[in-house]
């Protein structure tokens, strides 16, 4: 009985496998065809990816090259700017030095002209006071700054200066005469 049961089961299995074999084979072929299609799609995608990767690597290489060129250009530009800045600074320093020297020269000339003008004014005043009466000149010079009065007397003839000083009050005359003598000494030293 067991043996019969086994045979029956075996024949049943065979019948089922014979019935299902074409369906399984067809499904298997379909699955295999799908797998082959998917593999072909993946190969196509892989090929496209490899092309895009190659293109990207080429672009990266170009970018790296351009980056190096830009860095070199930036370095050259920085050096050029540094050089031009130094030239401009040197030029500015040279011009400033020349301008300062020119200003100093003109300042000295101005001071000299101012001294000459002041001297000319004092000489004119000396002529005016020399032409005045000694008492009137003494009164005027006594009321002035002693330095200015002494300078005016320096540009008069000694006899005229003496006549005016003699008409001043003794204390004021002594002070102005002392400054007069100092200025006369300076005048002689300056003339030498």
């Amino acid at each position: 009985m067991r043996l019969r049961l086994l045979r029956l089961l075996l024949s049943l299995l065979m019948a089922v496998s014979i019935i299902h074999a074409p369906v399984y084979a067809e499904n298997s072929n379909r699955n295999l065809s799908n797998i082959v299609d998917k593999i072909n799609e993946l190969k196509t995608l892989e090929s496209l990816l490899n092309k895009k990767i190659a293109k990207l690597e080429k672009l990266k290489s170009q970018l790296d090259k351009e980056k190096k060129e830009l860095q070199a250009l930036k370095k050259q530009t920085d050096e050029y700017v540094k050089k031009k800045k130094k030239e401009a600074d040197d030029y500015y320093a040279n011009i400033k030095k020349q301008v300062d020297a020119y200003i100093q020269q003109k300042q000295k000339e101005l001071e000299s002209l101012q001294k000459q003008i002041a001297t000319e004014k004092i000489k004119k005043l000396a002529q005016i006071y020399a032409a005045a009466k000694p008492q009137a000149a003494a009164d005027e010079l006594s009321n002035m700054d002693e330095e200015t009065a002494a300078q005016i007397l320096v540009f008069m003839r000694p006899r005229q200066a003496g006549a005016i000083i003699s008409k001043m009050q003794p204390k004021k005359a002594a002070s102005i005469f002392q400054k007069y003598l100092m200025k006369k000494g300076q005048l002689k030293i300056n003339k030498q």
Side-chain angles (χ1 to χ4, degrees), residues 142-189:
S142 293
N143 292 326
M144 270 187 203
D145 171 55
E146 291 181 0
E147 288 289 325
T148 307
Q151 283 180 332
I152 290 171
L153 291 172
V154 166
F155 289 105
M156 291 183 184
R157 285 191 223 133
R159 198 177 274 250
Q160 290 171 326
I164 293 171
I165 289 174
S166 69
K167 300 291 183 184
M168 292 180 179
Q169 294 177 357
K171 213 174 191 184
K172 189 74 164 178
S175 179
I176 292 176
F177 187 67
Q178 184 180 12
K179 289 177 175 46
Y180 165 80
L181 290 175
M182 288 173 52
K183 299 236 178 261
K184 268 292 208 194
Q186 285 179 352
L187 191 64
K188 287 180 184 176
I189 292 170

Side-chain angles (χ1 to χ4, degrees), residues 3 10 21 25 41 59 73 78 105 130 144 146 160 169 171 180 185 190 192:
L3 195 53
L10 191 60
E41 276 182 48
L59 285 172
L73 189 61
D78 289 346
Q105 177 190 355
M144 270 187 203
E146 291 181 0
Q160 290 171 326
Q169 294 177 357
K171 213 174 191 184
Y180 165 80
N190 289 342
Q192 291 176 359

